[in-house]
Amino acid sequence: MHLRHLPAALAIAISLLSLPVAADTAKSTPTAKELIAKSKADEWRTPDPANLLYMQLPQGRVVIELAPDFTPLHAQNIRTLVREHYFDGLAIIRVQDNFVTQWGDPNDDDSGDKSKLKPLGSAKAKLPPEYTRAIDAKLPWTALPDGDVYAPQVGFSEGFPTARDPASGREWLTHCYGMVGVARDIAPDSGNGNSLYAVIGQAPRGLDRNLAIAGRVIEGMQYLSGLTRGTGALGFYTQAAQRTPIVSVRLAADVPAAERENIQVLRTDSPTFAAIIDAKRNRRDAFYTVPAGKIDLCSIDIPSRTLDAKH
Amino acid sequence: MHLRHLPAALAIAISLLSLPVAADTAKSTPTAKELIAKSKADEWRTPDPANLLYMQLPQGRVVIELAPDFTPLHAQNIRTLVREHYFDGLAIIRVQDNFVTQWGDPNDDDSGDKSKLKPLGSAKAKLPPEYTRAIDAKLPWTALPDGDVYAPQVGFSEGFPTARDPASGREWLTHCYGMVGVARDIAPDSGNGNSLYAVIGQAPRGLDRNLAIAGRVIEGMQYLSGLTRGTGALGFYTQAAQRTPIVSVRLAADVPAAERENIQVLRTDSPTFAAIIDAKRNRRDAFYTVPAGKIDLCSIDIPSRTLDAKH
C-alpha cells in the first residue's frame, strides 16, 4: 500500500501533492498549483501596509488584513490601539472548539480584575456597529453563482467573502474560516477592536450582521487554530498559564520596509481565482470521480504567497 | 466594561453562558441548555457499544460512533482492526489546517518504511467503496428544509447528517465537522479503515460521495482539532516526535460495562432537536438582533451528554 495521504484539500497545499498521473490527464481538473503557475503578475495585489497587522505569537506570526472599506471606524481604532502597543503583552484568552479563537485583555472577562484592565489610550471605547454597508455599484463585486443557505447573494469584494441583500440594499462580510471579528458586550456599540476573534471552525454565519468584521487572517492561521481548547465556559482558559501570550502587534506600515513580508494575495476578481473556484467546484481527477458541481462561499480559499521571506 | 465573552456558539457550550437577562426574556430565543433541560428521557439514545470506539490519546479520550447502516463493511473491518489492537501504538500522522486530522500507521506515507507497516491481521485490505446507499423509505429521515449548496436534500438519519438525491435514489453521509472518513489511495476500493480522518474545519463537502464515512466523533473532538498543524505536504508531520501517539483504541462493547462511558446522544428525530435547530436558525435575544432565518446542515451541533463519568 503506497501513500495513503488522501483526501487532499484543493487549497494551496495541494500544490505539493504529486498524484500518480492517470492516462486521461487531459480530462483531469487542473490543480490550484497549476493554475497559479500560469497566473499573471497583475492578478496579484499587495495589501496596503496600513491595513496589515503583524501579530507575533511565540509560535509564529499571524498576518491580518483589515477591511477598512467595510469597517473603517474599526480599522482606524485598531490602528490606534496597535500604534500605542495596546496588544503587546496581552494574550489569547479563549479557544472554543469549532468556533473562535479570541484575544485581548485577560482581565476583560468575568473572572478578571477590572481594576487591572489595560487602558485604551487614545482609542475609542465605543464605535458604531458597522455590521453592514450600503451596496454601492462603484464597489467591486464578483458574484459566486452557486447559491447560499444564508443570503440572497454571495461573492467576493476587495479580497473578502461577502453577502448581499438587494432588497435591503445592504452588503456584509461573512463569518468564514479565518475572518476576524470584533468582540463586544450586549450593546451594539460596545465593540472597539481591543478584543478580536478569528473563526476556527465551520463558518458561524448566524453571526453575520450581528457583529463587525475587522478583516481576515491571510497568513499564520495555523497558530490560532491549532491551540489547545479552553476548558472554561465558552472556551475561555481557566488558568493564566494556558493562555498564549501576544508578543506584539504591529502595523506593517510602521515596520521598516526591509522587515516587512512581501505578501501578495490573489485578486478575487481575477480570471485565475475564478478558474481555481471552478476547478474546486467541478473537481474530477484520478481520485475524485464525483464532482460536487457546486461550492460554498466559505469553502473557497483565497490564495496568498510570500515572495521573499524576511523572517 | 464587563464580560467581553461574546460571540457564543449555540452549542452545548452555550449552556454555560449566563447572559444578562433582558427585560423581554419572553421574546428571546430559548437557549440550547433551556431546551435540553426540558427534554424527555426518550428523546435521548444510548449508542450501541458495538458501534462505539474509544480512542485513547495522551490528552484524553476521543469517542467515535460508527455508522454501520451507511458503511457496514467498513464498520465491521474497523471492529476487526480494533479487536486485534491494530491502532495501539500508531499515531496521528497528519493535521492539515481547516481540513482534516488523520491517524494510522506512520510508515503508511510517502517517506515511510513500507517494510515496517503494521500487518492488518484478520482485517481486509480492500473494501467496496460504500460512498452512498440507496434511499429506503423504511430508514429514518428528518429533513432540514433550509436548503443546501451541494445536494438536493439534506437532513439527519440515525444521528448523522446526510444528503439525498431523489433523482439517483442515493443518500450519503456528509463531511461535516467531526465526521470520520476513511482514507484511501487512488483506487476506490483501497480504503479499509486502517487510516481514518476527522474533519476539523469548514465542511469539505466536495469529498461527499468520493470517500466512505465511517462515523462521527461524539466526544473529545477538541483532542483532534487542537493539535499543532503538520508542516509537511498536506499537513503530514515531518518528524516522528511531532506525532501524537495513539495509546489504544477499544470497542466499548469489549470494555467492562463499569468502565464504559454512559454517553447519550440527542435523537435527531426528536422534538427537542428540532427546537434547538429552530432556536439557532432564528436566534434573537439581547445580543443577536438579526436572526439568520436559515441554518446550514453542518452548522448544527448534535448534543450529547455523559450521565456518569467513569474516568
Side-chain angles (χ1 to χ4, degrees):
Chain A
M1 186 178 306
H2 65 103
L3 175 57
R4 194 177 288 276
H5 53 204
L6 301 157
L10 187 62
I12 295 307
I14 200 175
S15 64
L16 302 166
L17 167 63
S18 57
L19 279 175
V21 178
D24 58 346
T25 299
K27 294 178 189 171
S28 290
T29 312
T31 65
K33 181 185 180 182
E34 291 166 351
L35 292 166
I36 286 172
K38 291 190 287 186
S39 67
K40 296 178 178 171
D42 64 3
E43 292 189 297
W44 297 81
R45 64 184 178 86
T46 300
D48 185 341
N51 296 333
L52 277 191
L53 304 182
Y54 294 158
M55 180 161 71
Q56 192 65 44
L57 302 178
Q59 298 91 330
R61 179 181 280 186
V62 178
V63 181
I64 297 166
E65 182 177 12
L66 297 174
D69 289 336
F70 288 86
T71 42
L73 299 173
H74 284 80
Q76 191 49 46
N77 215 47
I78 290 168
R79 287 191 200 100
T80 299
L81 290 164
V82 167
R83 287 195 156 134
E84 297 180 3
H85 296 188
Y86 173 78
F87 291 101
D88 300 14
L90 298 185
I92 291 172
I93 56 177
R94 171 192 184 191
V95 185
Q96 183 171 353
D97 194 46
N98 193 16
F99 193 44
V100 298
T101 288
Q102 183 176 339
W103 58 96
D105 190 333
N107 285 308
D108 202 9
D109 72 15
D110 267 346
S111 56
D113 182 346
K114 297 296 173 286
S115 71
K116 293 183 180 172
L117 281 176
K118 192 162 180 175
L120 294 178
S122 311
K124 293 186 169 67
K126 296 182 178 185
L127 292 176
E130 298 188 316
Y131 300 163
T132 66
R133 73 176 184 185
I135 295 175
D136 182 335
K138 288 178 291 185
L139 294 171
W141 163 256
T142 305
L144 182 74
D146 299 58
D148 184 67
V149 167
Y150 293 91
Q153 298 178 356
V154 290
F156 294 89
S157 184
E158 305 179 75
F160 298 96
T162 59
R164 287 185 165 196
D165 177 19
S168 66
R170 308 300 293 179
E171 172 179 34
W172 57 94
L173 296 172
T174 51
H175 277 83
C176 295
Y177 195 90
M179 295 296 275
V180 176
V182 178
R184 63 169 168 88
D185 294 324
I186 298 296
D189 67 352
S190 59
N192 60 51
N194 77 325
S195 188
L196 298 167
Y197 61 88
V199 173
I200 61 165
Q202 178 72 17
R205 297 281 306 280
L207 303 186
D208 292 357
R209 296 181 289 169
N210 284 289
L211 288 142
I213 291 181
R216 190 174 75 85
V217 175
I218 61 172
E219 187 181 295
M221 188 59 205
Q222 69 275 20
Y223 303 125
L224 297 175
S225 60
L227 296 170
T228 300
R229 277 47 181 157
T231 56
L234 304 171
F236 277 88
Y237 290 117
T238 55
Q239 298 168 38
Q242 297 169 324
R243 297 183 191 121
T244 299
I246 297 172
V247 178
S248 65
V249 180
R250 293 288 179 276
L251 201 64
D254 294 338
V255 169
E259 293 171 25
R260 291 181 205 158
E261 292 194 69
N262 194 356
I263 298 179
Q264 291 191 323
V265 182
L266 188 63
R267 295 181 65 96
T268 49
D269 57 357
S270 68
T272 293
F273 186 63
I276 289 172
I277 291 173
D278 198 55
K280 187 164 182 179
R281 179 192 287 129
N282 295 306
R283 190 171 184 181
R284 187 193 293 275
D285 55 29
F287 189 82
Y288 290 88
T289 56
V290 182
K294 298 274 188 174
I295 190 162
D296 185 84
L297 175 71
C298 290
S299 285
I300 299 169
D301 301 299
I302 302 174
S304 61
R305 62 183 182 187
T306 301
L307 293 184
D308 185 28
K310 299 284 181 158
H311 69 99
Chain B
M1 186 180 307
H2 66 105
L3 175 56
R4 196 177 285 277
H5 53 202
L6 301 158
L10 187 61
I12 295 306
I14 201 176
S15 64
L16 302 166
L17 167 63
S18 57
L19 277 176
V21 178
D24 60 344
T25 300
K27 294 177 188 170
S28 290
T29 313
T31 65
K33 180 184 181 183
E34 290 166 350
L35 292 165
I36 286 172
K38 291 190 287 185
S39 67
K40 296 177 179 172
D42 65 3
E43 293 189 296
W44 296 82
R45 65 186 177 85
T46 299
D48 185 341
N51 296 333
L52 276 191
L53 304 181
Y54 295 157
M55 178 161 72
Q56 191 65 44
L57 302 177
Q59 298 91 330
R61 180 182 279 186
V62 178
V63 181
I64 297 166
E65 182 176 14
L66 298 173
D69 288 336
F70 288 86
T71 44
L73 298 173
H74 284 80
Q76 192 50 46
N77 216 47
I78 290 169
R79 287 191 200 99
T80 299
L81 290 164
V82 167
R83 286 193 155 134
E84 298 180 2
H85 296 188
Y86 173 78
F87 291 101
D88 300 14
L90 298 185
I92 292 172
I93 56 177
R94 170 191 185 192
V95 184
Q96 183 172 352
D97 193 48
N98 193 16
F99 195 43
V100 298
T101 289
Q102 183 176 341
W103 58 97
D105 190 332
N107 284 308
D108 203 10
D109 72 16
D110 266 346
S111 56
D113 181 346
K114 297 296 171 290
S115 71
K116 293 183 179 171
L117 281 177
K118 193 162 181 175
L120 294 179
S122 310
K124 293 186 169 66
K126 296 182 178 185
L127 292 176
E130 296 189 316
Y131 300 163
T132 65
R133 73 176 183 184
I135 294 175
D136 183 337
K138 288 178 290 185
L139 293 171
W141 163 257
T142 305
L144 182 73
D146 300 59
D148 184 68
V149 167
Y150 293 91
Q153 299 178 353
V154 290
F156 293 89
S157 184
E158 305 179 76
F160 298 96
T162 60
R164 287 185 163 194
D165 176 19
S168 66
R170 306 301 292 179
E171 172 179 34
W172 56 93
L173 295 172
T174 51
H175 277 84
C176 295
Y177 195 91
M179 295 296 276
V180 176
V182 178
R184 62 169 170 87
D185 294 324
I186 299 295
D189 68 351
S190 60
N192 60 50
N194 77 326
S195 189
L196 299 166
Y197 60 87
V199 173
I200 61 165
Q202 178 72 15
R205 297 282 306 280
L207 303 184
D208 292 356
R209 296 181 289 170
N210 283 290
L211 288 142
I213 291 181
R216 190 175 75 86
V217 176
I218 61 172
E219 187 181 295
M221 188 60 204
Q222 69 274 22
Y223 303 125
L224 297 175
S225 59
L227 297 169
T228 300
R229 277 47 183 156
T231 55
L234 304 171
F236 277 89
Y237 290 117
T238 55
Q239 298 168 39
Q242 298 169 323
R243 298 183 190 120
T244 299
I246 297 172
V247 178
S248 65
V249 179
R250 293 289 178 273
L251 202 62
D254 295 339
V255 169
E259 294 172 23
R260 289 179 205 159
E261 292 193 67
N262 194 356
I263 296 179
Q264 291 191 323
V265 182
L266 188 63
R267 294 180 64 98
T268 49
D269 58 356
S270 67
T272 293
F273 187 61
I276 289 172
I277 292 173
D278 198 54
K280 187 165 182 177
R281 179 192 287 129
N282 294 307
R283 187 170 184 180
R284 188 193 294 274
D285 55 29
F287 190 82
Y288 290 88
T289 55
V290 183
K294 299 274 189 174
I295 191 163
D296 184 85
L297 175 71
C298 290
S299 286
I300 299 169
D301 301 300
I302 302 175
S304 62
R305 63 183 182 187
T306 302
L307 294 184
D308 185 28
K310 301 282 182 162
H311 68 99

